Amino acid sequence: MSDSIFRNYIAGEWVEGKGTIANISPADTSDVIGHYAQADAAQTEAAIEAAIKGQEAWQQSGLEQRYSVLMAIGDELIARKDELGRVLAREEGKTLAEGVGEVYRSGQFFHYYAAEVLRQMGETADSVRPGVEIETRREPVGVVGIITPWNFPVATGAWKIAPALAFGNAVVFKPANQVPASAWALTEIISRQGLPAGTFNLVMGPGAEVGNVLINSRRINALTFTGSLETGRKVAAATAVNLVKCQLEMGSKNALVVLDDADLETAVECAVNGAFFGTGQKCTASSRLIVTEGIHDRFVEAVIERMRKLVVGHPLKEGVHIGAVADGRQMEQNLKYLEIAKQEGATLAFGGEVISEETEGYFLQPALFTNTRNEMTINREEAFAPIASVIKVKDFEEALATLNDTHYGLTGGIITQSLKYASEFKRRAKTGCVMVNLPTAGTDYHVPFGGRKDSSFGPREQGAYAKEFYTLVKTTYIRA
Ligand code: NAD
Protein backbone atom coordinates (compact mmCIF):
# COMPACT_ATOMS: atom_id res chain seq x y z
CA MET A 1 0.00 0.00 0.00
CA SER A 2 1.35 3.40 -0.88
CA ASP A 3 -0.36 5.38 1.88
CA SER A 4 0.11 4.80 5.57
CA ILE A 5 -3.49 3.75 6.30
CA PHE A 6 -4.10 0.03 6.13
CA ARG A 7 -7.57 -0.44 4.70
CA ASN A 8 -10.31 -3.02 4.93
CA TYR A 9 -10.75 -5.51 2.13
CA ILE A 10 -14.33 -5.82 0.89
CA ALA A 11 -15.60 -7.32 -2.38
CA GLY A 12 -12.06 -7.54 -3.74
CA GLU A 13 -11.29 -3.84 -3.10
CA TRP A 14 -9.25 -2.05 -0.45
CA VAL A 15 -11.66 0.41 1.15
CA GLU A 16 -11.35 3.29 3.59
CA GLY A 17 -13.07 2.92 6.93
CA LYS A 18 -15.14 5.35 8.95
CA GLY A 19 -12.06 6.24 10.96
CA THR A 20 -8.74 4.71 11.93
CA ILE A 21 -6.96 3.44 15.01
CA ALA A 22 -3.26 3.57 15.76
CA ASN A 23 -1.71 0.14 16.33
CA ILE A 24 0.76 0.69 19.17
CA SER A 25 3.33 -1.83 20.36
CA PRO A 26 2.81 -2.94 23.97
CA ALA A 27 6.58 -3.31 24.24
CA ASP A 28 7.28 0.28 23.18
CA THR A 29 4.40 2.73 23.27
CA SER A 30 6.34 5.11 20.99
CA ASP A 31 6.34 2.42 18.28
CA VAL A 32 3.29 2.96 16.06
CA ILE A 33 3.00 -0.02 13.73
CA GLY A 34 0.44 1.71 11.53
CA HIS A 35 -3.01 3.20 11.28
CA TYR A 36 -5.79 0.76 10.54
CA ALA A 37 -9.18 1.52 8.99
CA GLN A 38 -12.23 0.86 11.14
CA ALA A 39 -15.25 -0.60 9.41
CA ASP A 40 -18.74 0.37 10.52
CA ALA A 41 -22.01 -1.55 10.49
CA ALA A 42 -22.82 -0.66 6.87
CA GLN A 43 -19.40 -1.82 5.64
CA THR A 44 -19.77 -5.05 7.56
CA GLU A 45 -23.12 -5.60 5.85
CA ALA A 46 -21.44 -4.83 2.51
CA ALA A 47 -18.78 -7.46 3.27
CA ILE A 48 -21.49 -10.04 4.00
CA GLU A 49 -23.26 -9.13 0.75
CA ALA A 50 -19.99 -9.50 -1.17
CA ALA A 51 -19.30 -12.83 0.49
CA ILE A 52 -22.68 -14.22 -0.56
CA LYS A 53 -21.81 -13.47 -4.20
CA GLY A 54 -18.18 -14.56 -3.89
CA GLN A 55 -19.10 -17.87 -2.32
CA GLU A 56 -21.10 -19.03 -5.33
CA ALA A 57 -18.16 -18.47 -7.63
CA TRP A 58 -15.65 -20.00 -5.21
CA GLN A 59 -17.80 -23.10 -4.76
CA GLN A 60 -17.67 -23.63 -8.54
CA SER A 61 -13.89 -23.28 -8.69
CA GLY A 62 -12.04 -26.51 -9.39
CA LEU A 63 -10.35 -28.49 -6.65
CA GLU A 64 -6.95 -27.78 -8.15
CA GLN A 65 -7.53 -24.03 -8.02
CA ARG A 66 -8.47 -24.24 -4.33
CA TYR A 67 -5.50 -26.49 -3.66
CA SER A 68 -3.11 -24.11 -5.43
CA VAL A 69 -4.46 -21.04 -3.64
CA LEU A 70 -4.06 -22.63 -0.21
CA MET A 71 -0.58 -23.94 -1.03
CA ALA A 72 0.51 -20.50 -2.27
CA ILE A 73 -0.74 -18.78 0.91
CA GLY A 74 1.08 -21.37 3.03
CA ASP A 75 4.27 -21.03 0.95
CA GLU A 76 4.28 -17.25 1.31
CA LEU A 77 3.66 -17.31 5.06
CA ILE A 78 6.54 -19.72 5.52
CA ALA A 79 8.85 -17.77 3.19
CA ARG A 80 8.08 -14.50 5.03
CA LYS A 81 8.00 -15.93 8.55
CA ASP A 82 10.83 -13.73 9.82
CA GLU A 83 9.36 -10.48 8.49
CA LEU A 84 5.76 -11.23 9.52
CA GLY A 85 6.84 -12.78 12.82
CA ARG A 86 8.54 -9.50 13.62
CA VAL A 87 5.36 -7.50 12.96
CA LEU A 88 3.42 -9.98 15.09
CA ALA A 89 5.90 -9.68 17.96
CA ARG A 90 5.81 -5.90 17.77
CA GLU A 91 2.03 -5.65 17.89
CA GLU A 92 1.20 -8.48 20.32
CA GLY A 93 4.27 -8.42 22.54
CA LYS A 94 5.31 -12.09 22.31
CA THR A 95 8.98 -12.80 21.62
CA LEU A 96 10.38 -12.75 18.10
CA ALA A 97 10.95 -16.53 18.22
CA GLU A 98 7.32 -17.06 19.25
CA GLY A 99 6.10 -14.68 16.52
CA VAL A 100 8.18 -16.37 13.82
CA GLY A 101 7.05 -19.79 15.03
CA GLU A 102 3.41 -18.73 14.89
CA VAL A 103 3.68 -17.49 11.30
CA TYR A 104 5.47 -20.69 10.26
CA ARG A 105 2.77 -22.80 11.92
CA SER A 106 0.09 -20.74 10.17
CA GLY A 107 1.69 -21.60 6.84
CA GLN A 108 1.48 -25.27 7.80
CA PHE A 109 -2.26 -24.88 8.45
CA PHE A 110 -2.75 -23.69 4.88
CA HIS A 111 -0.65 -26.55 3.53
CA TYR A 112 -2.57 -29.09 5.57
CA TYR A 113 -5.93 -27.81 4.31
CA ALA A 114 -4.63 -27.64 0.74
CA ALA A 115 -4.29 -31.41 1.01
CA GLU A 116 -7.77 -31.66 2.57
CA VAL A 117 -9.20 -30.05 -0.60
CA LEU A 118 -8.28 -33.22 -2.47
CA ARG A 119 -9.55 -35.52 0.24
CA GLN A 120 -13.23 -34.68 0.02
CA MET A 121 -14.89 -38.04 -0.47
CA GLY A 122 -18.55 -38.92 -0.21
CA GLU A 123 -20.16 -42.22 0.75
CA THR A 124 -22.64 -44.49 -0.93
CA ALA A 125 -25.19 -46.90 0.48
CA ASP A 126 -27.90 -49.22 -0.81
CA SER A 127 -31.39 -48.05 0.01
CA VAL A 128 -33.80 -50.26 1.96
CA ARG A 129 -35.91 -49.86 -1.19
CA PRO A 130 -34.63 -52.21 -3.93
CA GLY A 131 -33.31 -50.41 -6.98
CA VAL A 132 -32.53 -47.19 -5.12
CA GLU A 133 -29.00 -46.01 -4.31
CA ILE A 134 -28.02 -43.44 -1.74
CA GLU A 135 -25.12 -41.02 -1.82
CA THR A 136 -23.98 -38.66 0.92
CA ARG A 137 -21.65 -35.81 0.13
CA ARG A 138 -20.52 -32.62 1.74
CA GLU A 139 -21.14 -29.13 0.43
CA PRO A 140 -19.86 -25.77 1.65
CA VAL A 141 -21.78 -24.29 4.55
CA GLY A 142 -21.75 -20.93 2.73
CA VAL A 143 -20.62 -17.62 4.23
CA VAL A 144 -18.51 -18.00 7.37
CA GLY A 145 -18.03 -15.16 9.85
CA ILE A 146 -14.67 -15.42 11.62
CA ILE A 147 -13.99 -13.52 14.87
CA THR A 148 -10.57 -13.90 16.50
CA PRO A 149 -8.79 -12.79 19.70
CA TRP A 150 -5.50 -10.91 20.04
CA ASN A 151 -3.22 -13.56 21.51
CA PHE A 152 -2.52 -15.60 18.34
CA PRO A 153 -3.13 -12.95 15.68
CA VAL A 154 -2.03 -15.00 12.66
CA ALA A 155 -2.60 -18.59 13.82
CA THR A 156 -6.20 -18.23 15.01
CA GLY A 157 -7.13 -16.60 11.71
CA ALA A 158 -5.24 -19.26 9.77
CA TRP A 159 -6.82 -22.24 11.48
CA LYS A 160 -10.27 -20.90 10.61
CA ILE A 161 -9.65 -19.28 7.20
CA ALA A 162 -7.77 -22.27 5.72
CA PRO A 163 -10.55 -24.85 6.27
CA ALA A 164 -13.25 -22.30 5.38
CA LEU A 165 -11.68 -21.73 1.95
CA ALA A 166 -10.67 -25.38 1.49
CA PHE A 167 -14.28 -26.52 1.75
CA GLY A 168 -15.55 -23.86 -0.68
CA ASN A 169 -16.84 -21.19 1.68
CA ALA A 170 -16.55 -17.41 1.61
CA VAL A 171 -15.21 -15.52 4.62
CA VAL A 172 -15.88 -12.30 6.50
CA PHE A 173 -12.92 -11.97 8.87
CA LYS A 174 -13.00 -9.71 11.94
CA PRO A 175 -9.74 -9.79 13.88
CA ALA A 176 -9.20 -8.34 17.35
CA ASN A 177 -8.67 -4.60 17.19
CA GLN A 178 -5.47 -4.79 19.29
CA VAL A 179 -3.64 -6.71 16.53
CA PRO A 180 -4.80 -5.59 13.07
CA ALA A 181 -1.36 -5.68 11.42
CA SER A 182 -1.09 -9.47 11.37
CA ALA A 183 -4.63 -9.86 10.04
CA TRP A 184 -4.02 -7.21 7.41
CA ALA A 185 -0.77 -8.90 6.27
CA LEU A 186 -2.54 -12.25 5.97
CA THR A 187 -5.35 -10.59 3.99
CA GLU A 188 -2.84 -8.90 1.68
CA ILE A 189 -1.39 -12.31 0.82
CA ILE A 190 -4.86 -13.76 0.23
CA SER A 191 -5.84 -10.75 -1.93
CA ARG A 192 -3.16 -11.70 -4.50
CA GLN A 193 -4.38 -15.26 -5.08
CA GLY A 194 -7.01 -14.52 -7.73
CA LEU A 195 -10.01 -15.51 -5.61
CA PRO A 196 -13.42 -14.46 -6.98
CA ALA A 197 -14.24 -10.98 -5.60
CA GLY A 198 -15.98 -11.23 -2.23
CA THR A 199 -14.68 -14.71 -1.39
CA PHE A 200 -12.53 -13.22 1.34
CA ASN A 201 -13.27 -9.99 3.23
CA LEU A 202 -11.46 -8.24 6.07
CA VAL A 203 -13.43 -5.90 8.35
CA MET A 204 -11.35 -4.41 11.14
CA GLY A 205 -13.10 -2.69 14.00
CA PRO A 206 -14.51 -3.04 17.49
CA GLY A 207 -16.40 -6.11 18.60
CA ALA A 208 -19.33 -4.04 19.79
CA GLU A 209 -19.94 -2.72 16.26
CA VAL A 210 -18.37 -4.90 13.56
CA GLY A 211 -18.53 -8.12 15.59
CA ASN A 212 -22.06 -7.34 16.68
CA VAL A 213 -23.30 -7.03 13.09
CA LEU A 214 -21.65 -10.32 12.16
CA ILE A 215 -23.03 -12.36 15.04
CA ASN A 216 -26.56 -10.99 14.56
CA SER A 217 -26.62 -11.45 10.80
CA ARG A 218 -29.23 -13.77 9.31
CA ARG A 219 -27.31 -13.75 6.04
CA ILE A 220 -24.21 -15.58 7.19
CA ASN A 221 -24.38 -19.36 7.48
CA ALA A 222 -21.82 -20.07 10.17
CA LEU A 223 -19.89 -18.13 12.78
CA THR A 224 -16.62 -19.34 14.27
CA PHE A 225 -15.34 -17.46 17.31
CA THR A 226 -12.28 -17.65 19.52
CA GLY A 227 -12.13 -15.38 22.55
CA SER A 228 -13.43 -14.98 26.06
CA LEU A 229 -16.29 -16.90 27.64
CA GLU A 230 -18.21 -13.68 28.20
CA THR A 231 -18.21 -12.76 24.50
CA GLY A 232 -18.68 -16.39 23.50
CA ARG A 233 -21.99 -16.51 25.35
CA LYS A 234 -23.16 -13.44 23.40
CA VAL A 235 -22.12 -15.08 20.14
CA ALA A 236 -23.97 -18.29 21.01
CA ALA A 237 -27.13 -16.41 22.00
CA ALA A 238 -27.16 -14.18 18.90
CA THR A 239 -26.47 -16.96 16.39
CA ALA A 240 -29.00 -19.31 18.03
CA VAL A 241 -31.84 -16.84 17.43
CA ASN A 242 -31.04 -16.87 13.72
CA LEU A 243 -30.26 -20.61 13.66
CA VAL A 244 -26.77 -19.85 12.37
CA LYS A 245 -24.22 -22.61 12.90
CA CYS A 246 -21.82 -21.63 15.68
CA GLN A 247 -18.43 -22.79 16.92
CA LEU A 248 -16.79 -21.32 20.04
CA GLU A 249 -13.30 -21.70 21.49
CA MET A 250 -13.04 -19.82 24.76
CA GLY A 251 -11.04 -19.51 27.92
CA SER A 252 -9.77 -22.10 30.36
CA LYS A 253 -8.16 -22.75 33.71
CA ASN A 254 -5.82 -25.55 32.72
CA ALA A 255 -3.83 -27.54 35.25
CA LEU A 256 -0.60 -29.50 35.17
CA VAL A 257 -0.45 -32.36 37.66
CA VAL A 258 3.00 -33.30 39.00
CA LEU A 259 3.15 -36.66 40.78
CA ASP A 260 5.78 -37.83 43.29
CA ASP A 261 7.36 -40.14 40.70
CA ALA A 262 7.80 -37.36 38.10
CA ASP A 263 11.14 -36.65 36.49
CA LEU A 264 11.84 -33.32 38.19
CA GLU A 265 13.54 -31.71 35.21
CA THR A 266 10.65 -32.59 32.88
CA ALA A 267 8.16 -31.30 35.45
CA VAL A 268 9.95 -27.96 35.80
CA GLU A 269 10.39 -27.45 32.05
CA CYS A 270 6.75 -28.30 31.32
CA ALA A 271 5.47 -26.08 34.14
CA VAL A 272 7.55 -23.06 33.16
CA ASN A 273 6.85 -23.49 29.47
CA GLY A 274 3.11 -24.02 29.94
CA ALA A 275 2.59 -21.31 32.53
CA PHE A 276 4.80 -18.45 31.38
CA PHE A 277 5.79 -18.68 27.72
CA GLY A 278 3.73 -16.45 25.48
CA THR A 279 3.53 -14.25 28.62
CA GLY A 280 0.92 -16.71 29.93
CA GLN A 281 -1.51 -15.37 27.33
CA LYS A 282 -2.52 -18.72 25.94
CA CYS A 283 -5.89 -20.44 26.27
CA THR A 284 -3.86 -23.62 26.90
CA ALA A 285 -1.61 -22.11 29.61
CA SER A 286 -1.21 -24.11 32.83
CA SER A 287 -2.07 -21.52 35.46
CA ARG A 288 -2.70 -24.25 38.09
CA LEU A 289 0.16 -26.53 39.13
CA ILE A 290 -1.25 -29.41 41.17
CA VAL A 291 1.60 -31.13 42.98
CA THR A 292 1.62 -34.18 45.28
CA GLU A 293 3.21 -33.70 48.71
CA GLY A 294 6.27 -35.96 48.25
CA ILE A 295 7.73 -33.80 45.45
CA HIS A 296 6.11 -30.46 46.34
CA ASP A 297 9.03 -28.71 48.06
CA ARG A 298 11.66 -29.90 45.58
CA PHE A 299 9.41 -28.90 42.67
CA VAL A 300 8.70 -25.40 44.00
CA GLU A 301 12.38 -24.78 44.70
CA ALA A 302 13.40 -25.97 41.21
CA VAL A 303 10.67 -23.93 39.47
CA ILE A 304 11.80 -20.77 41.27
CA GLU A 305 15.41 -21.53 40.34
CA ARG A 306 14.30 -21.85 36.70
CA MET A 307 12.20 -18.67 36.88
CA ARG A 308 15.23 -16.70 38.04
CA LYS A 309 16.83 -17.47 34.67
CA LEU A 310 13.87 -16.17 32.61
CA VAL A 311 14.70 -12.93 30.87
CA VAL A 312 11.75 -10.55 30.53
CA GLY A 313 12.06 -7.73 28.03
CA HIS A 314 11.43 -6.24 24.62
CA PRO A 315 10.23 -9.05 22.36
CA LEU A 316 12.70 -8.18 19.60
CA LYS A 317 15.72 -8.22 21.89
CA GLU A 318 18.01 -11.23 21.69
CA GLY A 319 17.95 -13.57 24.67
CA VAL A 320 14.49 -12.52 25.89
CA HIS A 321 12.25 -15.42 26.97
CA ILE A 322 9.15 -13.51 28.08
CA GLY A 323 7.92 -10.54 26.06
CA ALA A 324 5.39 -7.85 26.89
CA VAL A 325 1.88 -8.09 28.30
CA ALA A 326 -0.51 -7.37 25.41
CA ASP A 327 -1.77 -3.94 26.52
CA GLY A 328 -2.44 -1.64 29.44
CA ARG A 329 -5.83 -3.16 30.15
CA GLN A 330 -4.41 -6.67 30.34
CA MET A 331 -1.58 -5.41 32.58
CA GLU A 332 -4.12 -3.86 34.95
CA GLN A 333 -6.00 -7.15 35.06
CA ASN A 334 -2.78 -9.05 35.83
CA LEU A 335 -1.97 -6.72 38.72
CA LYS A 336 -5.52 -7.06 40.02
CA TYR A 337 -5.20 -10.86 40.14
CA LEU A 338 -1.82 -10.60 41.91
CA GLU A 339 -3.49 -8.45 44.58
CA ILE A 340 -6.52 -10.71 44.95
CA ALA A 341 -4.31 -13.78 45.37
CA LYS A 342 -2.32 -12.08 48.14
CA GLN A 343 -5.48 -10.86 49.87
CA GLU A 344 -6.94 -14.37 49.80
CA GLY A 345 -3.86 -15.71 51.58
CA ALA A 346 -1.69 -17.15 48.79
CA THR A 347 2.07 -16.79 49.26
CA LEU A 348 3.86 -14.94 46.49
CA ALA A 349 6.91 -17.21 46.27
CA PHE A 350 8.52 -15.47 43.31
CA GLY A 351 8.06 -12.60 40.82
CA GLY A 352 5.06 -10.41 40.15
CA GLU A 353 7.03 -7.15 39.86
CA VAL A 354 6.41 -4.63 37.11
CA ILE A 355 9.67 -4.32 35.20
CA SER A 356 11.09 -1.14 33.67
CA GLU A 357 12.77 -1.54 30.32
CA GLU A 358 14.57 0.93 28.08
CA THR A 359 11.31 1.29 26.18
CA GLU A 360 8.00 2.33 27.72
CA GLY A 361 5.89 -0.84 27.71
CA TYR A 362 4.06 -3.43 29.80
CA PHE A 363 6.51 -5.87 31.35
CA LEU A 364 5.76 -8.20 34.23
CA GLN A 365 8.05 -10.64 36.00
CA PRO A 366 6.30 -14.06 35.91
CA ALA A 367 4.81 -14.86 39.29
CA LEU A 368 4.50 -18.08 41.28
CA PHE A 369 2.08 -18.46 44.19
CA THR A 370 2.28 -21.27 46.71
CA ASN A 371 -0.06 -22.27 49.55
CA THR A 372 -3.07 -21.86 47.30
CA ARG A 373 -6.36 -23.74 47.39
CA ASN A 374 -8.45 -24.58 44.37
CA GLU A 375 -11.34 -22.46 45.72
CA MET A 376 -9.28 -19.25 45.53
CA THR A 377 -10.15 -16.72 42.83
CA ILE A 378 -6.69 -17.13 41.27
CA ASN A 379 -7.52 -20.81 40.68
CA ARG A 380 -11.09 -20.24 39.47
CA GLU A 381 -10.86 -17.34 37.03
CA GLU A 382 -8.77 -17.11 33.88
CA ALA A 383 -6.19 -14.35 34.44
CA PHE A 384 -4.51 -14.80 31.03
CA ALA A 385 -1.27 -13.72 32.70
CA PRO A 386 2.23 -15.04 33.47
CA ILE A 387 0.95 -16.12 36.87
CA ALA A 388 0.84 -19.71 38.14
CA SER A 389 -0.22 -21.08 41.49
CA VAL A 390 0.77 -24.28 43.19
CA ILE A 391 -1.90 -26.43 44.83
CA LYS A 392 -0.48 -29.11 47.15
CA VAL A 393 -2.43 -32.39 47.18
CA LYS A 394 -2.10 -35.79 48.89
CA ASP A 395 -2.17 -38.20 45.99
CA PHE A 396 -3.21 -38.92 42.40
CA GLU A 397 -6.93 -39.12 43.20
CA GLU A 398 -6.97 -35.74 44.90
CA ALA A 399 -4.90 -34.28 42.05
CA LEU A 400 -7.35 -35.54 39.43
CA ALA A 401 -10.39 -34.35 41.40
CA THR A 402 -8.77 -30.91 41.75
CA LEU A 403 -7.93 -30.74 38.06
CA ASN A 404 -11.55 -31.51 37.15
CA ASP A 405 -12.98 -29.08 39.71
CA THR A 406 -13.39 -26.14 37.31
CA HIS A 407 -16.09 -24.99 34.91
CA TYR A 408 -13.50 -24.96 32.12
CA GLY A 409 -11.97 -27.96 30.31
CA LEU A 410 -9.55 -27.21 27.48
CA THR A 411 -6.26 -28.97 28.30
CA GLY A 412 -4.92 -30.98 31.23
CA GLY A 413 -1.43 -32.34 31.79
CA ILE A 414 0.33 -34.86 33.98
CA ILE A 415 4.01 -35.47 34.69
CA THR A 416 4.58 -39.03 35.83
CA GLN A 417 6.68 -42.08 35.01
CA SER A 418 3.82 -44.38 35.87
CA LEU A 419 1.94 -45.90 32.94
CA LYS A 420 -0.90 -46.73 35.31
CA TYR A 421 -1.42 -43.11 36.39
CA ALA A 422 -0.88 -41.75 32.90
CA SER A 423 -3.54 -44.11 31.53
CA GLU A 424 -5.99 -43.34 34.34
CA PHE A 425 -5.44 -39.63 33.82
CA LYS A 426 -5.95 -39.87 30.08
CA ARG A 427 -9.34 -41.49 30.62
CA ARG A 428 -10.62 -39.42 33.55
CA ALA A 429 -9.41 -35.86 32.89
CA LYS A 430 -12.47 -33.85 31.82
CA THR A 431 -10.62 -31.84 29.21
CA GLY A 432 -10.63 -31.84 25.40
CA CYS A 433 -6.84 -32.30 25.18
CA VAL A 434 -4.60 -34.31 27.52
CA MET A 435 -0.81 -34.03 27.69
CA VAL A 436 1.43 -36.64 29.31
CA ASN A 437 4.96 -35.47 30.19
CA LEU A 438 4.42 -32.43 27.96
CA PRO A 439 3.38 -28.82 28.60
CA THR A 440 -0.38 -28.13 28.50
CA ALA A 441 0.25 -25.64 25.69
CA GLY A 442 1.38 -26.69 22.22
CA THR A 443 -0.89 -28.61 19.85
CA ASP A 444 -0.64 -30.00 16.32
CA TYR A 445 -2.58 -28.82 13.28
CA HIS A 446 -3.64 -32.17 11.80
CA VAL A 447 -5.71 -33.41 14.76
CA PRO A 448 -8.82 -32.00 16.48
CA PHE A 449 -8.42 -29.18 18.97
CA GLY A 450 -10.98 -28.05 21.51
CA GLY A 451 -12.24 -28.37 25.03
CA ARG A 452 -15.18 -29.31 27.20
CA LYS A 453 -17.52 -27.49 29.58
CA ASP A 454 -17.22 -23.70 29.24
CA SER A 455 -14.07 -23.89 27.09
CA SER A 456 -15.67 -24.90 23.81
CA PHE A 457 -18.99 -25.21 22.08
CA GLY A 458 -19.90 -26.76 18.75
CA PRO A 459 -17.87 -28.97 16.42
CA ARG A 460 -14.12 -29.31 16.90
CA GLU A 461 -11.57 -27.18 15.08
CA GLN A 462 -8.57 -28.38 13.08
CA GLY A 463 -7.55 -31.61 11.39
CA ALA A 464 -10.09 -33.56 9.39
CA TYR A 465 -12.71 -32.83 12.09
CA ALA A 466 -12.95 -29.25 10.86
CA LYS A 467 -15.22 -30.37 8.03
CA GLU A 468 -18.07 -30.90 10.50
CA PHE A 469 -18.30 -27.16 10.94
CA TYR A 470 -17.33 -25.94 7.47
CA THR A 471 -19.59 -28.25 5.45
CA LEU A 472 -23.18 -29.45 5.26
CA VAL A 473 -24.14 -33.01 4.45
CA LYS A 474 -26.48 -33.77 1.59
CA THR A 475 -28.15 -37.17 1.18
CA THR A 476 -29.25 -38.04 -2.36
CA TYR A 477 -31.55 -40.95 -3.31
CA ILE A 478 -31.22 -42.21 -6.88
CA ARG A 479 -33.40 -44.64 -8.79
CA ALA A 480 -31.86 -45.50 -12.14
P1 NAD B 1 -12.66 -11.17 23.61
O1 NAD B 1 -13.80 -12.09 23.83
O2 NAD B 1 -12.63 -9.90 24.32
O3 NAD B 1 -12.55 -10.80 22.07
C1 NAD B 1 -12.47 -11.79 21.06
C2 NAD B 1 -13.01 -11.22 19.76
O4 NAD B 1 -14.40 -10.97 19.91
C3 NAD B 1 -12.37 -9.89 19.35
O5 NAD B 1 -12.22 -9.86 17.94
C4 NAD B 1 -13.41 -8.88 19.79
O6 NAD B 1 -13.37 -7.67 19.07
C5 NAD B 1 -14.70 -9.64 19.51
N1 NAD B 1 -15.87 -9.16 20.27
C6 NAD B 1 -15.88 -8.55 21.48
N2 NAD B 1 -17.14 -8.23 21.82
C7 NAD B 1 -17.95 -8.67 20.83
C8 NAD B 1 -19.36 -8.66 20.61
N3 NAD B 1 -20.19 -8.12 21.48
N4 NAD B 1 -19.83 -9.20 19.49
C9 NAD B 1 -18.99 -9.78 18.59
N5 NAD B 1 -17.66 -9.80 18.72
C10 NAD B 1 -17.13 -9.26 19.83
O7 NAD B 1 -11.34 -12.03 23.88
P2 NAD B 1 -9.81 -11.54 23.84
O8 NAD B 1 -9.56 -10.74 25.05
O9 NAD B 1 -9.49 -10.94 22.50
O10 NAD B 1 -9.02 -12.91 23.90
C11 NAD B 1 -8.69 -13.55 25.08
C12 NAD B 1 -9.59 -14.75 25.30
O11 NAD B 1 -9.52 -15.62 24.18
C13 NAD B 1 -9.20 -15.58 26.49
O12 NAD B 1 -10.33 -15.93 27.25
C14 NAD B 1 -8.58 -16.82 25.87
O13 NAD B 1 -8.62 -17.97 26.68
C15 NAD B 1 -9.38 -16.96 24.64
N6 NAD B 1 -8.71 -17.80 23.64
C16 NAD B 1 -9.17 -19.06 23.43
C17 NAD B 1 -8.55 -19.90 22.53
C18 NAD B 1 -9.08 -21.30 22.29
O14 NAD B 1 -8.76 -21.86 21.25
N7 NAD B 1 -9.85 -21.88 23.19
C19 NAD B 1 -7.43 -19.45 21.82
C20 NAD B 1 -6.97 -18.17 22.05
C21 NAD B 1 -7.63 -17.35 22.97
Side-chain angles (χ1 to χ4, degrees), residues 151 158 176 212 220 251 296 313 403:
N151 64 329
N212 195 50
I220 64 167
H296 175 274
L403 175 124

Side-chain angles (χ1 to χ4, degrees), residues 258-420:
V258 179
L259 294 186
D260 283 354
D261 73 356
D263 174 70
L264 188 62
E265 203 178 314
T266 306
V268 171
E269 278 315 308
C270 291
V272 169
N273 175 314
F276 306 126
F277 286 4
T279 327
Q281 298 169 158
K282 294 182 185 176
C283 51
T284 48
S286 26
S287 51
R288 294 184 298 150
L289 305 172
I290 303 170
V291 187
T292 49
E293 7 182 78
I295 196 171
H296 175 274
D297 293 357
R298 278 183 295 141
F299 173 77
V300 168
E301 195 182 322
V303 168
I304 292 173
E305 213 36 58
R306 180 72 179 79
M307 287 174 77
R308 283 187 210 288
K309 297 192 187 112
L310 292 177
V311 179
V312 181
H314 195 290
L316 302 183
K317 231 200 275 178
E318 200 143 327
V320 163
H321 304 113
I322 310 287
V325 171
D327 60 17
R329 215 184 60 176
Q330 183 63 39
M331 184 69 158
E332 251 174 56
Q333 183 175 301
N334 297 0
L335 297 176
K336 183 192 86 179
Y337 277 110
L338 285 170
E339 252 341 282
I340 293 175
K342 285 187 234 165
Q343 276 166 20
E344 291 184 3
T347 307
L348 181 59
F350 185 80
E353 301 91 22
V354 174
I355 293 179
S356 297
E357 272 287 296
E358 289 147 26
T359 52
E360 200 67 48
Y362 308 105
F363 301 100
L364 185 68
Q365 183 75 46
L368 185 75
F369 283 103
T370 52
N371 295 319
T372 79
R373 296 182 317 283
N374 203 41
E375 307 78 67
M376 290 177 169
T377 308
I378 194 77
N379 289 324
R380 308 305 300 180
E381 296 179 12
E382 184 188 47
F384 225 49
I387 305 174
S389 48
V390 179
I391 306 169
K392 196 201 279 192
V393 293
K394 199 161 55 49
D395 54 18
F396 171 77
E397 284 301 329
E398 190 184 344
L400 186 65
T402 307
L403 175 124
N404 285 332
D405 178 14
T406 167
H407 63 100
Y408 288 116
L410 186 52
T411 66
I414 189 164
I415 312 293
T416 181
Q417 298 190 58
S418 154
L419 181 60
K420 174 175 172 284

